[in-house]
Amino acid sequence: MKIKCDSELIKLNGKLYPCSTSVTMDFIGGKWKTVILFHLKDGSKRYNELRKSMPVVTERTLSLQLKQLENDGIVKRKVYTTKPPLKVEYSLTKFGKTLIPVLEAISNWGNQICESEGEIVKVEEKKPQ
């Protein structure tokens, strides 16, 4: 199904979208969703692993974004309760894995821009106050 962005709307999950690009951006838009998904593309990660790999994201933002991705069926959350401490892992669902080529294309484009225009700056770890 190819939709023209000028006169037709797409209805998906009860929402109306002007074109397929807006559908994609509803799922992965925002500053952190694509970063989270990129870190999950190679396999499951625990919450703390994700947190350490993205030191500048706040815990609240990470939790909210993971919840949205889970609600959208892109990420699955698995809780292990057999023995303390509680262990929670996040991974891409089958639907979420369909985004891997998109994530890699976004990353490749970003790498090209960074190589030609950017510089690497080391992030200092936050120390408890």
Side-chain angles (χ1 to χ4, degrees), residues 18-68:
C19 64
S20 54
T21 302
S22 61
V23 172
T24 305
M25 293 312 294
D26 192 38
F27 280 103
I28 65 168
K31 186 173 181 179
W32 295 107
K33 284 183 181 178
T34 51
V35 178
I36 293 166
L37 295 172
F38 191 81
H39 285 288
L40 292 175
K41 76 178 182 65
D42 294 323
S44 299
K45 299 260 188 298
R46 293 179 67 177
Y47 178 85
N48 282 335
E49 290 177 293
L50 285 170
R51 182 82 177 92
K52 287 176 184 173
S53 64
M54 297 179 280
V56 295
V57 68
T58 65
E59 288 192 38
R60 182 178 190 283
T61 299
L62 180 57
S63 294
L64 288 172
Q65 297 291 281
L66 284 166
K67 220 169 261 183
Q68 286 178 352

Side-chain angles (χ1 to χ4, degrees), residues 1-12 15-27:
M1 163 172 58
K2 189 171 183 179
I3 304 293
K4 296 177 188 171
C5 288
D6 54 4
S7 64
E8 298 171 321
L9 294 175
I10 301 165
K11 186 173 184 179
L12 181 67
K15 288 182 174 178
L16 291 175
Y17 298 93
C19 64
S20 54
T21 302
S22 61
V23 172
T24 305
M25 293 312 294
D26 192 38
F27 280 103

Side-chain angles (χ1 to χ4, degrees), residues 125-129:
E125 279 194 43
K126 294 178 185 176
K127 294 181 182 177
Q129 297 181 14

Side-chain angles (χ1 to χ4, degrees), residues 83-119:
K83 60 182 180 179
L86 186 71
K87 180 180 170 184
V88 179
E89 276 187 352
Y90 293 91
S91 60
L92 295 178
T93 61
K94 185 177 179 182
F95 177 54
K97 288 178 182 175
T98 63
L99 285 166
I100 290 174
V102 175
L103 297 169
E104 288 175 343
I106 290 169
S107 177
N108 290 338
W109 184 83
N111 285 337
Q112 288 174 0
I113 298 304
C114 292
E115 285 177 12
S116 65
E117 309 289 329
E119 64 180 278

